PDB file of all heavy atoms in Angstrom:
ATOM      1  N   SER A 728     107.112  67.336  84.838  1.00 96.00           N
ATOM      2  CA  SER A 728     106.629  67.313  86.220  1.00 96.00           C
ATOM      3  C   SER A 728     105.923  68.612  86.515  1.00 96.00           C
ATOM      4  O   SER A 728     106.223  69.647  85.918  1.00 96.00           O
ATOM      5  CB  SER A 728     107.794  67.117  87.181  1.00 96.00           C
ATOM      6  OG  SER A 728     108.724  68.157  86.997  1.00 96.00           O
ATOM      7  N   ALA A 730     103.763  70.712  89.999  1.00 95.00           N
ATOM      8  CA  ALA A 730     103.353  70.667  91.406  1.00 95.00           C
ATOM      9  C   ALA A 730     102.116  71.524  91.578  1.00 95.00           C
ATOM     10  O   ALA A 730     101.987  72.569  90.930  1.00 95.00           O
ATOM     11  CB  ALA A 730     104.479  71.184  92.276  1.00 95.00           C
ATOM     12  N   GLN A 734      98.084  74.071  99.297  1.00 90.00           N
ATOM     13  CA  GLN A 734      96.721  74.171  99.847  1.00 90.00           C
ATOM     14  C   GLN A 734      95.676  73.543  98.931  1.00 90.00           C
ATOM     15  O   GLN A 734      94.509  73.447  99.293  1.00 90.00           O
ATOM     16  CB  GLN A 734      96.328  75.641 100.085  1.00 90.00           C
ATOM     17  CG  GLN A 734      97.228  76.410 101.033  1.00 90.00           C
ATOM     18  CD  GLN A 734      98.459  76.974 100.339  1.00 90.00           C
ATOM     19  OE1 GLN A 734      98.591  76.903  99.121  1.00 90.00           O
ATOM     20  NE2 GLN A 734      99.372  77.504 101.123  1.00 90.00           N
ATOM     21  N   ILE A 792      99.926  72.419  79.943  1.00 93.00           N
ATOM     22  CA  ILE A 792      98.629  72.781  80.522  1.00 93.00           C
ATOM     23  C   ILE A 792      97.831  73.481  79.425  1.00 93.00           C
ATOM     24  O   ILE A 792      98.193  74.575  78.984  1.00 93.00           O
ATOM     25  CB  ILE A 792      98.809  73.690  81.753  1.00 93.00           C
ATOM     26  CG1 ILE A 792      99.566  72.930  82.845  1.00 93.00           C
ATOM     27  CG2 ILE A 792      97.464  74.168  82.272  1.00 93.00           C
ATOM     28  CD1 ILE A 792      99.832  73.710  84.096  1.00 93.00           C
ATOM     29  N   LYS A 795      93.582  76.269  82.414  1.00 94.00           N
ATOM     30  CA  LYS A 795      93.428  76.262  83.867  1.00 94.00           C
ATOM     31  C   LYS A 795      92.250  77.179  84.170  1.00 94.00           C
ATOM     32  O   LYS A 795      92.340  78.390  83.963  1.00 94.00           O
ATOM     33  CB  LYS A 795      94.716  76.751  84.544  1.00 94.00           C
ATOM     34  CG  LYS A 795      94.674  76.648  86.062  1.00 94.00           C
ATOM     35  CD  LYS A 795      95.975  77.112  86.694  1.00 94.00           C
ATOM     36  CE  LYS A 795      95.887  77.079  88.198  1.00 94.00           C
ATOM     37  NZ  LYS A 795      97.091  77.582  88.860  1.00 94.00           N
ATOM     38  N   ARG A 797      89.130  78.687  86.663  1.00 94.00           N
ATOM     39  CA  ARG A 797      88.848  78.927  88.076  1.00 94.00           C
ATOM     40  C   ARG A 797      87.397  79.327  88.266  1.00 94.00           C
ATOM     41  O   ARG A 797      86.847  80.103  87.479  1.00 94.00           O
ATOM     42  CB  ARG A 797      89.752  80.027  88.626  1.00 94.00           C
ATOM     43  CG  ARG A 797      89.591  80.167  90.148  1.00 94.00           C
ATOM     44  CD  ARG A 797      90.563  81.138  90.710  1.00 94.00           C
ATOM     45  NE  ARG A 797      90.217  82.504  90.328  1.00 94.00           N
ATOM     46  CZ  ARG A 797      90.556  83.558  91.037  1.00 94.00           C
ATOM     47  NH1 ARG A 797      91.266  83.412  92.130  1.00 94.00           N
ATOM     48  NH2 ARG A 797      90.237  84.764  90.638  1.00 94.00           N
ATOM     49  N   GLN A 798      86.759  78.760  89.275  1.00 94.00           N
ATOM     50  CA  GLN A 798      85.405  79.159  89.664  1.00 94.00           C
ATOM     51  C   GLN A 798      85.428  79.451  91.161  1.00 94.00           C
ATOM     52  O   GLN A 798      85.932  78.648  91.945  1.00 94.00           O
ATOM     53  CB  GLN A 798      84.410  78.034  89.339  1.00 94.00           C
ATOM     54  CG  GLN A 798      82.958  78.355  89.596  1.00 94.00           C
ATOM     55  CD  GLN A 798      82.426  79.455  88.687  1.00 94.00           C
ATOM     56  OE1 GLN A 798      82.687  80.640  88.932  1.00 94.00           O
ATOM     57  NE2 GLN A 798      81.690  79.095  87.662  1.00 94.00           N
ATOM     58  N   LYS A 822      78.481  79.909  97.277  1.00 91.00           N
ATOM     59  CA  LYS A 822      78.195  81.346  97.270  1.00 91.00           C
ATOM     60  C   LYS A 822      76.751  81.613  96.883  1.00 91.00           C
ATOM     61  O   LYS A 822      76.084  82.477  97.441  1.00 91.00           O
ATOM     62  CB  LYS A 822      79.150  82.015  96.275  1.00 91.00           C
ATOM     63  CG  LYS A 822      79.194  83.516  96.369  1.00 91.00           C
ATOM     64  CD  LYS A 822      80.286  84.030  95.453  1.00 91.00           C
ATOM     65  CE  LYS A 822      80.242  85.531  95.342  1.00 91.00           C
ATOM     66  NZ  LYS A 822      81.271  86.015  94.409  1.00 91.00           N
ATOM     67  N   TYR A 823      76.256  80.830  95.921  1.00 92.00           N
ATOM     68  CA  TYR A 823      74.875  81.020  95.460  1.00 92.00           C
ATOM     69  C   TYR A 823      73.952  79.886  95.903  1.00 92.00           C
ATOM     70  O   TYR A 823      72.802  79.831  95.481  1.00 92.00           O
ATOM     71  CB  TYR A 823      74.841  81.141  93.924  1.00 92.00           C
ATOM     72  CG  TYR A 823      75.580  82.352  93.430  1.00 92.00           C
ATOM     73  CD1 TYR A 823      76.863  82.246  92.919  1.00 92.00           C
ATOM     74  CD2 TYR A 823      74.997  83.621  93.511  1.00 92.00           C
ATOM     75  CE1 TYR A 823      77.553  83.359  92.481  1.00 92.00           C
ATOM     76  CE2 TYR A 823      75.685  84.736  93.078  1.00 92.00           C
ATOM     77  CZ  TYR A 823      76.964  84.604  92.570  1.00 92.00           C
ATOM     78  OH  TYR A 823      77.643  85.712  92.148  1.00 92.00           O
ATOM     79  N   THR A 872      78.810  78.222  81.980  1.00 95.00           N
ATOM     80  CA  THR A 872      78.374  77.642  83.250  1.00 95.00           C
ATOM     81  C   THR A 872      76.852  77.605  83.303  1.00 95.00           C
ATOM     82  O   THR A 872      76.190  78.541  82.855  1.00 95.00           O
ATOM     83  CB  THR A 872      78.938  78.462  84.437  1.00 95.00           C
ATOM     84  OG1 THR A 872      80.334  78.636  84.223  1.00 95.00           O
ATOM     85  CG2 THR A 872      78.729  77.737  85.745  1.00 95.00           C
ATOM     86  N   TYR A 936      70.880  79.555  74.581  1.00 91.00           N
ATOM     87  CA  TYR A 936      71.409  79.493  75.951  1.00 91.00           C
ATOM     88  C   TYR A 936      70.316  79.720  76.990  1.00 91.00           C
ATOM     89  O   TYR A 936      69.537  80.670  76.919  1.00 91.00           O
ATOM     90  CB  TYR A 936      72.517  80.542  76.139  1.00 91.00           C
ATOM     91  CG  TYR A 936      72.994  80.603  77.563  1.00 91.00           C
ATOM     92  CD1 TYR A 936      73.907  79.664  78.032  1.00 91.00           C
ATOM     93  CD2 TYR A 936      72.510  81.553  78.456  1.00 91.00           C
ATOM     94  CE1 TYR A 936      74.335  79.687  79.346  1.00 91.00           C
ATOM     95  CE2 TYR A 936      72.930  81.581  79.777  1.00 91.00           C
ATOM     96  CZ  TYR A 936      73.840  80.643  80.214  1.00 91.00           C
ATOM     97  OH  TYR A 936      74.252  80.661  81.524  1.00 91.00           O
ATOM     98  N   ASN A 939      69.547  77.482  83.238  1.00 92.00           N
ATOM     99  CA  ASN A 939      69.181  76.281  83.997  1.00 92.00           C
ATOM    100  C   ASN A 939      69.155  75.067  83.084  1.00 92.00           C
ATOM    101  O   ASN A 939      68.476  75.083  82.050  1.00 92.00           O
ATOM    102  CB  ASN A 939      67.793  76.441  84.623  1.00 92.00           C
ATOM    103  CG  ASN A 939      67.807  77.442  85.748  1.00 92.00           C
ATOM    104  OD1 ASN A 939      68.807  77.604  86.432  1.00 92.00           O
ATOM    105  ND2 ASN A 939      66.712  78.146  85.911  1.00 92.00           N
ATOM    106  N   LEU A1013      50.064  48.933  42.380  1.00 93.00           N
ATOM    107  CA  LEU A1013      49.997  50.183  41.613  1.00 93.00           C
ATOM    108  C   LEU A1013      50.901  50.113  40.400  1.00 93.00           C
ATOM    109  O   LEU A1013      50.550  50.523  39.293  1.00 93.00           O
ATOM    110  CB  LEU A1013      50.415  51.352  42.520  1.00 93.00           C
ATOM    111  CG  LEU A1013      50.168  52.752  41.995  1.00 93.00           C
ATOM    112  CD1 LEU A1013      48.667  53.062  41.988  1.00 93.00           C
ATOM    113  CD2 LEU A1013      50.890  53.777  42.848  1.00 93.00           C
TER     114      LEU A1013
ATOM    115  N   ASP B 260      78.306  89.737  91.416  1.00 43.00           N
ATOM    116  CA  ASP B 260      79.150  89.073  90.419  1.00 43.00           C
ATOM    117  C   ASP B 260      80.391  89.882  90.080  1.00 43.00           C
ATOM    118  O   ASP B 260      81.129  89.542  89.174  1.00 43.00           O
ATOM    119  CB  ASP B 260      78.342  88.828  89.144  1.00 43.00           C
ATOM    120  CG  ASP B 260      77.322  87.747  89.384  1.00 43.00           C
ATOM    121  OD1 ASP B 260      77.350  87.159  90.484  1.00 43.00           O
ATOM    122  OD2 ASP B 260      76.519  87.505  88.482  1.00 43.00           O
ATOM    123  N   ASP B 262      82.974  90.822  92.188  1.00 44.00           N
ATOM    124  CA  ASP B 262      83.939  90.840  93.288  1.00 44.00           C
ATOM    125  C   ASP B 262      85.327  91.197  92.772  1.00 44.00           C
ATOM    126  O   ASP B 262      85.765  90.673  91.746  1.00 44.00           O
ATOM    127  CB  ASP B 262      84.009  89.455  93.940  1.00 44.00           C
ATOM    128  CG  ASP B 262      82.729  89.141  94.675  1.00 44.00           C
ATOM    129  OD1 ASP B 262      81.968  90.086  94.925  1.00 44.00           O
ATOM    130  OD2 ASP B 262      82.502  87.959  94.969  1.00 44.00           O
ATOM    131  N   LEU B 336     112.411  69.713  90.648  1.00 93.00           N
ATOM    132  CA  LEU B 336     112.557  70.419  89.378  1.00 93.00           C
ATOM    133  C   LEU B 336     111.243  70.298  88.609  1.00 93.00           C
ATOM    134  O   LEU B 336     110.806  69.193  88.298  1.00 93.00           O
ATOM    135  CB  LEU B 336     113.700  69.787  88.585  1.00 93.00           C
ATOM    136  CG  LEU B 336     114.202  70.552  87.367  1.00 93.00           C
ATOM    137  CD1 LEU B 336     114.840  71.873  87.754  1.00 93.00           C
ATOM    138  CD2 LEU B 336     115.203  69.708  86.596  1.00 93.00           C
ATOM    139  N   GLN B 338     109.597  70.422  85.381  1.00 95.00           N
ATOM    140  CA  GLN B 338     110.224  70.329  84.064  1.00 95.00           C
ATOM    141  C   GLN B 338     109.233  70.025  82.947  1.00 95.00           C
ATOM    142  O   GLN B 338     108.091  69.631  83.193  1.00 95.00           O
ATOM    143  CB  GLN B 338     111.326  69.265  84.079  1.00 95.00           C
ATOM    144  CG  GLN B 338     110.813  67.849  84.281  1.00 95.00           C
ATOM    145  CD  GLN B 338     111.942  66.839  84.268  1.00 95.00           C
ATOM    146  OE1 GLN B 338     112.709  66.767  85.223  1.00 95.00           O
ATOM    147  NE2 GLN B 338     112.038  66.077  83.197  1.00 95.00           N
ATOM    148  N   LYS B 363     103.235  82.429  97.157  1.00 84.00           N
ATOM    149  CA  LYS B 363     104.461  81.847  97.726  1.00 84.00           C
ATOM    150  C   LYS B 363     105.662  82.000  96.809  1.00 84.00           C
ATOM    151  O   LYS B 363     106.771  81.595  97.176  1.00 84.00           O
ATOM    152  CB  LYS B 363     104.230  80.366  98.011  1.00 84.00           C
ATOM    153  CG  LYS B 363     103.141  80.172  99.051  1.00 84.00           C
ATOM    154  CD  LYS B 363     103.226  78.804  99.656  1.00 84.00           C
ATOM    155  CE  LYS B 363     102.332  78.745 100.880  1.00 84.00           C
ATOM    156  NZ  LYS B 363     102.307  77.431 101.492  1.00 84.00           N
ATOM    157  N   LEU B 367     104.806  76.284  89.611  1.00 93.00           N
ATOM    158  CA  LEU B 367     103.919  75.118  89.673  1.00 93.00           C
ATOM    159  C   LEU B 367     104.044  74.252  88.420  1.00 93.00           C
ATOM    160  O   LEU B 367     104.004  73.038  88.503  1.00 93.00           O
ATOM    161  CB  LEU B 367     102.464  75.551  89.856  1.00 93.00           C
ATOM    162  CG  LEU B 367     102.170  76.378  91.112  1.00 93.00           C
ATOM    163  CD1 LEU B 367     100.696  76.751  91.150  1.00 93.00           C
ATOM    164  CD2 LEU B 367     102.532  75.600  92.372  1.00 93.00           C
ATOM    165  N   ASN B 370     105.299  75.036  80.752  1.00 93.00           N
ATOM    166  CA  ASN B 370     104.938  74.559  79.409  1.00 93.00           C
ATOM    167  C   ASN B 370     106.069  74.946  78.465  1.00 93.00           C
ATOM    168  O   ASN B 370     106.431  76.121  78.400  1.00 93.00           O
ATOM    169  CB  ASN B 370     103.664  75.255  78.907  1.00 93.00           C
ATOM    170  CG  ASN B 370     102.417  74.582  79.399  1.00 93.00           C
ATOM    171  OD1 ASN B 370     102.472  73.696  80.248  1.00 93.00           O
ATOM    172  ND2 ASN B 370     101.287  75.005  78.878  1.00 93.00           N
ATOM    173  N   LYS B 397      91.957  81.038  83.588  1.00 90.00           N
ATOM    174  CA  LYS B 397      90.777  81.552  82.895  1.00 90.00           C
ATOM    175  C   LYS B 397      89.616  81.518  83.880  1.00 90.00           C
ATOM    176  O   LYS B 397      89.284  80.460  84.422  1.00 90.00           O
ATOM    177  CB  LYS B 397      90.476  80.658  81.685  1.00 90.00           C
ATOM    178  CG  LYS B 397      89.370  81.147  80.791  1.00 90.00           C
ATOM    179  CD  LYS B 397      89.225  80.202  79.588  1.00 90.00           C
ATOM    180  CE  LYS B 397      87.952  80.389  78.830  1.00 90.00           C
ATOM    181  NZ  LYS B 397      87.847  81.581  78.043  1.00 90.00           N
ATOM    182  N   GLU B 398      89.042  82.668  84.118  1.00 89.00           N
ATOM    183  CA  GLU B 398      87.925  82.754  85.065  1.00 89.00           C
ATOM    184  C   GLU B 398      86.668  82.174  84.422  1.00 89.00           C
ATOM    185  O   GLU B 398      86.304  82.553  83.310  1.00 89.00           O
ATOM    186  CB  GLU B 398      87.667  84.209  85.475  1.00 89.00           C
ATOM    187  CG  GLU B 398      88.826  84.883  86.185  1.00 89.00           C
ATOM    188  CD  GLU B 398      89.099  84.326  87.575  1.00 89.00           C
ATOM    189  OE1 GLU B 398      88.176  83.734  88.170  1.00 89.00           O
ATOM    190  OE2 GLU B 398      90.236  84.451  88.046  1.00 89.00           O
ATOM    191  N   ALA B 399      86.043  81.279  85.131  1.00 88.00           N
ATOM    192  CA  ALA B 399      84.805  80.676  84.604  1.00 88.00           C
ATOM    193  C   ALA B 399      83.648  81.654  84.747  1.00 88.00           C
ATOM    194  O   ALA B 399      83.623  82.462  85.678  1.00 88.00           O
ATOM    195  CB  ALA B 399      84.493  79.403  85.358  1.00 88.00           C
ATOM    196  N   LEU B 400      82.736  81.557  83.800  1.00 85.00           N
ATOM    197  CA  LEU B 400      81.566  82.449  83.842  1.00 85.00           C
ATOM    198  C   LEU B 400      80.593  81.969  84.899  1.00 85.00           C
ATOM    199  O   LEU B 400      80.695  80.861  85.410  1.00 85.00           O
ATOM    200  CB  LEU B 400      80.874  82.446  82.479  1.00 85.00           C
ATOM    201  CG  LEU B 400      81.686  82.944  81.298  1.00 85.00           C
ATOM    202  CD1 LEU B 400      80.956  82.604  80.013  1.00 85.00           C
ATOM    203  CD2 LEU B 400      81.922  84.437  81.409  1.00 85.00           C
ATOM    204  N   TYR B 404      71.273  84.805  83.945  1.00 82.00           N
ATOM    205  CA  TYR B 404      69.836  84.566  84.129  1.00 82.00           C
ATOM    206  C   TYR B 404      68.960  85.521  83.353  1.00 82.00           C
ATOM    207  O   TYR B 404      69.135  86.720  83.390  1.00 82.00           O
ATOM    208  CB  TYR B 404      69.473  84.609  85.614  1.00 82.00           C
ATOM    209  CG  TYR B 404      69.699  83.276  86.248  1.00 82.00           C
ATOM    210  CD1 TYR B 404      70.919  82.966  86.827  1.00 82.00           C
ATOM    211  CD2 TYR B 404      68.725  82.288  86.197  1.00 82.00           C
ATOM    212  CE1 TYR B 404      71.154  81.721  87.369  1.00 82.00           C
ATOM    213  CE2 TYR B 404      68.947  81.033  86.733  1.00 82.00           C
ATOM    214  CZ  TYR B 404      70.157  80.761  87.312  1.00 82.00           C
ATOM    215  OH  TYR B 404      70.376  79.524  87.831  1.00 82.00           O
ATOM    216  N   PHE B 430      57.502  56.439  44.283  1.00 84.00           N
ATOM    217  CA  PHE B 430      56.296  56.399  43.454  1.00 84.00           C
ATOM    218  C   PHE B 430      56.594  56.930  42.047  1.00 84.00           C
ATOM    219  O   PHE B 430      56.235  56.332  41.046  1.00 84.00           O
ATOM    220  CB  PHE B 430      55.200  57.215  44.146  1.00 84.00           C
ATOM    221  CG  PHE B 430      53.939  57.330  43.330  1.00 84.00           C
ATOM    222  CD1 PHE B 430      53.098  56.216  43.172  1.00 84.00           C
ATOM    223  CD2 PHE B 430      53.597  58.519  42.712  1.00 84.00           C
ATOM    224  CE1 PHE B 430      51.942  56.321  42.431  1.00 84.00           C
ATOM    225  CE2 PHE B 430      52.450  58.616  41.969  1.00 84.00           C
ATOM    226  CZ  PHE B 430      51.606  57.522  41.822  1.00 84.00           C
TER     227      PHE B 430
END
Side-chain angles (χ1 to χ4, degrees):
Chain A
S728 58
Q734 301 84 7
I792 297 179
K795 185 179 177 183
R797 187 174 71 154
Q798 184 66 282
K822 193 173 171 182
Y823 296 101
T872 310
Y936 174 81
N939 289 329
L1013 191 71
Chain B
D260 289 354
D262 291 344
L336 192 65
Q338 66 179 73
K363 297 199 168 177
L367 301 179
N370 276 9
K397 186 177 165 72
E398 298 291 338
L400 298 168
Y404 275 91
F430 176 72

